[in-house]
Coordinates of all heavy atoms in Angstrom, one line a residue:
M190 N 0.8 -1.2 0.0 CA 0.0 0.0 0.0 C 0.9 1.3 0.0 O 0.4 2.3 -0.3 CB -1.0 0.0 1.2 CG -0.3 0.3 2.5 SD -1.5 0.1 3.8 CE -1.5 -1.7 4.1
E191 N 2.2 1.1 0.3 CA 3.0 2.3 0.4 C 3.1 3.1 -0.9 O 3.1 4.2 -0.9 CB 4.5 1.9 0.9 CG 4.5 1.6 2.3 CD 3.8 0.5 2.8 OE1 3.5 -0.5 2.1 OE2 3.3 0.6 4.0
Q192 N 3.0 2.2 -2.0 CA 3.1 3.0 -3.2 C 2.0 4.1 -3.4 O 2.2 5.1 -4.0 CB 3.0 2.0 -4.4 CG 1.7 1.2 -4.3 CD 1.3 0.6 -5.6 OE1 1.7 1.0 -6.6 NE2 0.3 -0.4 -5.6
H193 N 0.9 3.9 -2.7 CA -0.1 4.9 -2.8 C -0.1 5.9 -1.8 O -0.8 6.9 -1.9 CB -1.5 4.2 -2.6 CG -1.8 3.1 -3.7 ND1 -1.7 3.4 -5.0 CD2 -2.1 1.8 -3.6 CE1 -1.9 2.3 -5.7 NE2 -2.2 1.4 -4.9
R194 N 0.9 5.8 -0.9 CA 1.0 6.8 0.1 C 2.0 7.9 -0.2 O 2.2 8.7 0.5 CB 1.3 6.1 1.4 CG 0.2 5.2 1.9 CD -0.3 5.5 3.3 NE -1.6 4.9 3.5 CZ -1.8 3.6 3.9 NH1 -0.6 2.9 4.1 NH2 -2.9 3.1 4.1
S195 N 2.8 7.7 -1.3 CA 3.8 8.6 -1.7 C 3.2 9.9 -1.9 O 2.1 10.0 -2.4 CB 4.5 8.1 -2.9 OG 3.6 8.0 -4.0
H196 N 3.9 11.0 -1.6 CA 3.4 12.3 -1.8 C 3.2 12.6 -3.3 O 4.0 12.4 -4.0 CB 4.2 13.3 -1.1 CG 4.0 13.3 0.4 ND1 3.4 14.4 1.0 CD2 4.1 12.4 1.3 CE1 3.2 14.1 2.3 NE2 3.7 12.9 2.5
N197 N 2.1 13.1 -3.5 CA 1.8 13.6 -4.9 C 2.6 14.9 -5.1 O 2.5 15.8 -4.4 CB 0.3 13.9 -5.0 CG -0.2 14.3 -6.3 OD1 0.6 14.7 -7.1 ND2 -1.4 14.2 -6.5
P198 N 3.4 14.8 -6.2 CA 4.2 16.0 -6.4 C 3.4 17.3 -6.7 O 3.8 18.3 -6.6 CB 5.2 15.6 -7.6 CG 4.4 14.5 -8.2 CD 3.6 13.8 -7.1
F260 N -2.8 9.8 -7.6 CA -3.3 9.3 -6.3 C -3.1 10.4 -5.3 O -2.0 11.1 -5.3 CB -2.4 8.1 -5.9 CG -3.1 7.3 -4.8 CD1 -4.0 6.2 -5.2 CD2 -2.9 7.4 -3.5 CE1 -4.6 5.5 -4.2 CE2 -3.5 6.7 -2.5 CZ -4.4 5.7 -2.9
P261 N -4.1 10.7 -4.5 CA -3.9 11.9 -3.5 C -3.0 11.5 -2.3 O -2.8 10.3 -2.1 CB -5.4 12.1 -3.0 CG -6.0 10.8 -3.1 CD -5.4 10.1 -4.3
V262 N -2.5 12.5 -1.7 CA -1.8 12.2 -0.4 C -2.7 11.4 0.5 O -3.8 11.9 0.8 CB -1.3 13.5 0.2 CG1 -0.7 13.2 1.6 CG2 -0.3 14.2 -0.7
Y263 N -2.3 10.3 0.9 CA -2.9 9.6 2.1 C -1.8 9.2 3.1 O -1.1 8.3 2.8 CB -3.7 8.4 1.6 CG -4.6 7.8 2.6 CD1 -5.7 8.6 3.2 CD2 -4.4 6.5 3.2 CE1 -6.5 8.2 4.2 CE2 -5.3 6.1 4.2 CZ -6.3 6.9 4.7 OH -7.2 6.4 5.7
K264 N -1.8 9.9 4.2 CA -0.8 9.7 5.2 C -1.0 8.3 5.8 O -2.1 7.9 6.0 CB -0.8 10.8 6.3 CG 0.1 12.0 5.9 CD 0.1 12.9 7.1 CE 0.7 12.3 8.3 NZ 0.6 13.1 9.5
Q265 N 0.1 7.7 6.1 CA 0.1 6.5 6.8 C -0.8 6.6 8.1 O -0.5 7.5 8.9 CB 1.5 6.1 7.3 CG 1.7 4.7 7.9 CD 1.6 3.6 6.8 OE1 2.2 3.7 5.8 NE2 0.8 2.6 7.1
P266 N -1.9 5.8 8.2 CA -2.8 6.0 9.4 C -2.0 5.7 10.7 O -1.2 4.7 10.8 CB -3.9 5.0 9.2 CG -3.8 4.8 7.7 CD -2.4 4.9 7.3
V267 N -2.2 6.5 11.8 CA -1.6 6.3 13.1 C -2.7 5.9 14.0 O -3.7 6.6 14.1 CB -0.8 7.5 13.5 CG1 -0.3 7.4 14.9 CG2 0.2 7.9 12.6
L361 N -15.4 5.5 -0.7 CA -14.4 5.0 -1.5 C -15.0 4.2 -2.6 O -14.5 4.2 -3.9 CB -13.4 4.1 -0.8 CG -12.0 4.9 -0.4 CD1 -12.3 6.0 0.5 CD2 -11.1 3.8 0.2
V442 N -7.9 5.7 14.5 CA -6.8 6.1 13.8 C -6.9 7.5 13.2 O -8.1 8.1 13.1 CB -6.5 5.2 12.5 CG1 -6.2 3.8 13.0 CG2 -7.5 5.3 11.5
Q443 N -5.8 8.2 13.1 CA -5.8 9.5 12.6 C -4.9 9.5 11.3 O -3.9 8.8 11.3 CB -5.1 10.4 13.7 CG -5.6 11.8 13.7 CD -5.0 12.6 14.9 OE1 -4.6 12.0 15.9 NE2 -4.9 13.9 14.7
T444 N -5.3 10.2 10.4 CA -4.6 10.3 9.1 C -5.0 11.6 8.4 O -5.7 12.4 8.9 CB -4.8 9.0 8.2 OG1 -4.0 9.1 7.1 CG2 -6.3 8.9 7.9
R445 N -4.4 11.7 7.2 CA -4.9 12.8 6.3 C -5.0 12.5 4.9 O -4.2 11.7 4.4 CB -3.8 14.0 6.4 CG -4.1 15.2 5.7 CD -3.3 16.4 6.1 NE -1.9 16.2 5.9 CZ -1.2 16.4 4.8 NH1 -1.8 16.8 3.7 NH2 0.1 16.2 4.7
L446 N -6.1 12.8 4.3 CA -6.4 12.6 2.9 C -6.4 13.9 2.2 O -7.2 14.8 2.5 CB -7.7 11.8 2.7 CG -8.2 11.7 1.3 CD1 -7.2 11.0 0.4 CD2 -9.6 11.1 1.2
A447 N -5.4 14.2 1.3 CA -5.2 15.6 0.7 C -5.2 16.6 1.9 O -4.3 16.3 2.8 CB -6.3 15.8 -0.3
F453 N -11.0 8.4 12.5 CA -12.1 7.5 12.4 C -11.8 6.2 13.1 O -10.6 5.9 13.5 CB -12.4 7.2 10.9 CG -11.3 6.7 10.1 CD1 -11.0 5.3 10.0 CD2 -10.5 7.6 9.3 CE1 -10.0 4.8 9.2 CE2 -9.4 7.0 8.5 CZ -9.2 5.7 8.5
P470 N -1.5 0.0 13.4 CA -2.4 -0.9 12.9 C -1.8 -2.0 12.0 O -2.5 -2.9 11.5 CB -3.4 -0.1 12.0 CG -2.5 1.1 11.5 CD -1.5 1.4 12.6
A471 N -0.4 -2.0 11.8 CA 0.3 -2.9 10.9 C 0.2 -4.3 11.3 O 0.4 -5.3 10.6 CB 1.7 -2.5 10.7
W500 N -10.4 -4.3 -0.2 CA -9.3 -3.3 -0.3 C -9.6 -2.0 0.5 O -8.9 -1.5 1.3 CB -8.9 -3.0 -1.7 CG -7.9 -1.9 -1.9 CD1 -6.5 -2.1 -1.7 CD2 -8.2 -0.6 -2.0 NE1 -6.0 -0.8 -1.9 CE2 -7.0 0.1 -2.0 CE3 -9.4 0.2 -2.2 CZ2 -6.9 1.5 -2.2 CZ3 -9.3 1.5 -2.4 CH2 -8.1 2.2 -2.4
A501 N -10.8 -1.5 0.1 CA -11.2 -0.1 0.6 C -11.3 -0.1 2.1 O -10.8 0.7 2.9 CB -12.5 0.3 0.0
Q502 N -11.9 -1.2 2.7 CA -12.1 -1.3 4.1 C -10.8 -1.3 4.9 O -10.6 -0.7 6.0 CB -12.9 -2.5 4.4 CG -13.3 -2.6 5.9 CD -14.0 -4.0 6.1 OE1 -13.6 -5.0 5.6 NE2 -15.0 -4.0 7.0
S503 N -9.9 -2.1 4.4 CA -8.6 -2.3 5.1 C -7.5 -1.3 4.8 O -6.7 -0.9 5.7 CB -8.0 -3.7 4.9 OG -8.8 -4.6 5.6
F504 N -7.6 -0.8 3.6 CA -6.6 0.3 3.2 C -6.8 1.6 4.1 O -5.8 2.1 4.6 CB -6.8 0.6 1.8 CG -5.8 1.7 1.2 CD1 -4.5 1.4 1.0 CD2 -6.2 3.0 1.2 CE1 -3.5 2.4 0.6 CE2 -5.3 4.1 0.7 CZ -4.0 3.8 0.5
L505 N -8.0 1.9 4.3 CA -8.3 3.1 5.1 C -7.5 3.2 6.5 O -6.8 4.1 6.7 CB -9.8 3.2 5.3 CG -10.6 3.9 4.1 CD1 -12.1 3.6 4.2 CD2 -10.3 5.4 4.0
P506 N -7.7 2.1 7.3 CA -7.0 2.2 8.6 C -5.6 1.6 8.5 O -5.0 1.6 9.6 CB -7.9 1.4 9.5 CG -8.5 0.4 8.5 CD -8.7 1.0 7.3
G507 N -5.1 1.2 7.4 CA -3.7 0.7 7.3 C -3.6 -0.7 7.8 O -2.6 -1.1 8.3
V508 N -4.7 -1.4 7.7 CA -4.6 -2.9 8.1 C -4.0 -3.6 6.8 O -4.5 -3.5 5.8 CB -6.0 -3.4 8.4 CG1 -6.0 -5.0 8.5 CG2 -6.5 -2.8 9.7
P509 N -2.9 -4.3 7.1 CA -2.1 -4.7 5.9 C -2.6 -6.0 5.2 O -2.2 -6.3 4.1 CB -0.7 -4.9 6.4 CG -0.8 -5.2 7.9 CD -2.1 -4.5 8.3
I530 N -3.0 -6.3 1.4 CA -3.7 -5.2 0.8 C -2.9 -4.5 -0.4 O -3.4 -4.2 -1.4 CB -4.1 -4.2 1.9 CG1 -5.1 -4.8 2.9 CG2 -4.7 -2.9 1.3 CD1 -6.4 -5.3 2.2
S531 N -1.5 -4.5 -0.1 CA -0.7 -3.8 -1.1 C -0.6 -4.6 -2.4 O -0.2 -4.0 -3.4 CB 0.8 -3.6 -0.5 OG 1.3 -4.9 -0.2
P546 N -7.8 2.1 -7.4 CA -7.7 2.8 -6.1 C -7.7 4.3 -6.2 O -8.3 5.0 -5.3 CB -6.4 2.2 -5.6 CG -6.2 0.9 -6.2 CD -6.8 1.1 -7.6
M550 N -10.0 7.0 -3.9 CA -9.5 7.9 -3.0 C -9.8 9.4 -3.5 O -10.0 10.3 -2.7 CB -8.0 7.7 -2.8 CG -7.6 6.4 -2.3 SD -8.3 6.0 -0.7 CE -7.3 6.9 0.4

Side-chain angles (χ1 to χ4, degrees):
M190 74 186 83
E191 279 64 32
Q192 57 157 343
H193 298 308
R194 296 235 163 83
S195 60
H196 280 249
N197 182 340
F260 202 86
V262 172
Y263 190 63
K264 271 188 61 192
Q265 188 75 48
V267 174
L361 261 63
V442 302
Q443 214 174 331
T444 184
R445 182 163 59 85
L446 170 59
F453 58 86
W500 172 83
Q502 184 188 41
S503 288
F504 180 77
L505 279 163
V508 171
I530 294 302
S531 59
M550 297 304 282

